[in-house]
Amino acid sequence: MINIDQELAYKKFSRLKCGALFMAMGTGKTKVALTLAQSKYAQEKVDFVLYIAPASAISSGNLEAEKQKWTPELPVTFATCEGFGASDRIYLEILSKVKKTKTFCICDESLYIKNIEAKRTRRIIEIGSFSMYRLILNGTPVTKNILDVWTQMEFLSPKIFDMSFREFKYMFCVYSRNAKKARKKKIVRYINVSYLISLISPYVYQADLDLEVKKKYADRCYYVDKWKYNNYKNKIFDKYYDSYEEELQFYAFAQVLQRWYTSQPEHREAVQDCINEINDTIIVFVKYVNNIPENAIKITGATKNREEIIDRFRRGEFKVLYMTYGCGSFSLNLQFCKNIIFADHDWDYSRRVQAEGRIYRLGSGEDVMYYDIVCENSGLEKLIQDCLKGKKSLLAMVKKEITKLDSKDKAKKFIEKL
């Protein structure tokens, strides 16, 4: 082990059959997980190591590279989170293998299994139930609400909570129930949080990345035409206000509005001006693929030659690399680059943290710089920025307001602020 967090995490989980490594990006949680698996394999306590991760993390080749670096002799089978939901064949083949072997199962980026209704979540939990050892890895256990915790702990062991998802919800959450929206109850507050922490703490190791180098942040602001902005906002309001349910479909409404103002010429100019002022290599993160210039070098879900592109970027063959959050924010080690521009913003705080972690990692020797391109005269943009800077979910921030929107007039007044 090369740092105290890795050593402490290893010692803690070497005595357990399951555990959660909630360690910041760059702290070496992958190394801890593989070393633990290597130890159990060497002791003949396991004979099959299954490593589940997002497709983007596996296809990048970085996980395989880390395995070769830290545990080259350990046989590891890599499987994608998405594959368990999309392919019955993959799921059944791995389930059959796990049932016949002593399995050490690692689930990386475990927030991919936070949705209890998703097929992949149910199947990965079942895989875990037949595994002798289970680990989950993630930078943070919660990004939207406390319900994220249940599925992750259920994968580790149903004995940790010893309660159904429904029981968990009403043990730790208080819901409001509007008579007009009986099917859409919302969390008002959390309760019994100390009890929740006491249940999971024996199985959790959490660590933040603390480097001598610093993270620096700067906003680059621009303005869109206010008349066009308000006109478009009012135009789409009726489309996303459900008169029958008397509810604003806020998420869909806000997505469309954000996509509009980030596609304006003023936005593109602000991104390019920021690029021009940086005399070094730059990663530009975008939420919407349409916001990537036509001739730009990019990594998206459709990119096949990611390793080749990253090697060229590392060698300095081009200055700017565009990435989408889903493909570029997981598992890639890009610490040779010191600048990230967030051209538009994902509302999921975990994706922002993951994206920042691509260049802020152990071994970094220089300060890193993050630039946010901000539409200054958009109330929605301000709301998104407040959420990200406050480490909160956009939906969690607005839910109290949204529950009050029980008439079209009230909803319009709320939208006027955006």
Side-chain angles (χ1 to χ4, degrees), residues 134-234:
R134 298 166 299 282
L135 275 181
I136 57 174
L137 283 60
N138 209 71
T140 176
V142 178
T143 59
K144 289 189 176 179
N145 59 52
I146 211 168
L147 300 180
D148 294 350
V149 176
W150 187 86
T151 49
Q152 296 177 79
M153 295 299 127
E154 188 72 4
F155 168 80
L156 292 181
S157 173
K159 294 180 180 179
I160 295 176
F161 287 134
D162 195 23
M163 63 182 77
S164 68
F165 183 65
R166 178 181 176 81
E167 291 170 332
F168 179 87
K169 287 168 57 177
Y170 292 104
M171 172 66 75
F172 300 109
C173 304
V174 174
Y175 289 84
S176 66
R177 182 159 183 160
N178 189 311
K180 296 178 181 179
K181 309 169 192 174
R183 295 181 292 105
K184 300 182 179 180
K185 296 184 291 183
K186 295 178 173 61
I187 299 173
V188 176
R189 66 180 188 277
Y190 301 125
I191 55 175
N192 303 321
V193 175
S194 297
Y195 177 55
L196 171 64
I197 293 172
S198 72
L199 292 176
I200 69 174
S201 59
Y203 307 95
V204 170
Y205 186 86
Q206 190 157 2
D208 293 323
L209 187 60
D210 184 17
L211 305 180
E212 292 183 3
V213 299
K214 304 299 181 184
K215 288 183 176 182
K216 298 180 180 180
Y217 297 86
D219 290 345
R220 294 293 181 267
C221 300
Y222 68 97
Y223 294 82
V224 293
D225 185 293
K226 192 63 178 178
W227 182 87
K228 289 182 179 179
Y229 178 83
N230 287 330
N231 186 53
Y232 187 80
K233 181 175 63 175
N234 294 332

Side-chain angles (χ1 to χ4, degrees), residues 23 35 58 171 238 246 314 390:
M23 299 169 66
T35 306
I58 294 175
M171 172 66 75
D238 286 332
E246 291 193 347
R314 183 183 287 107

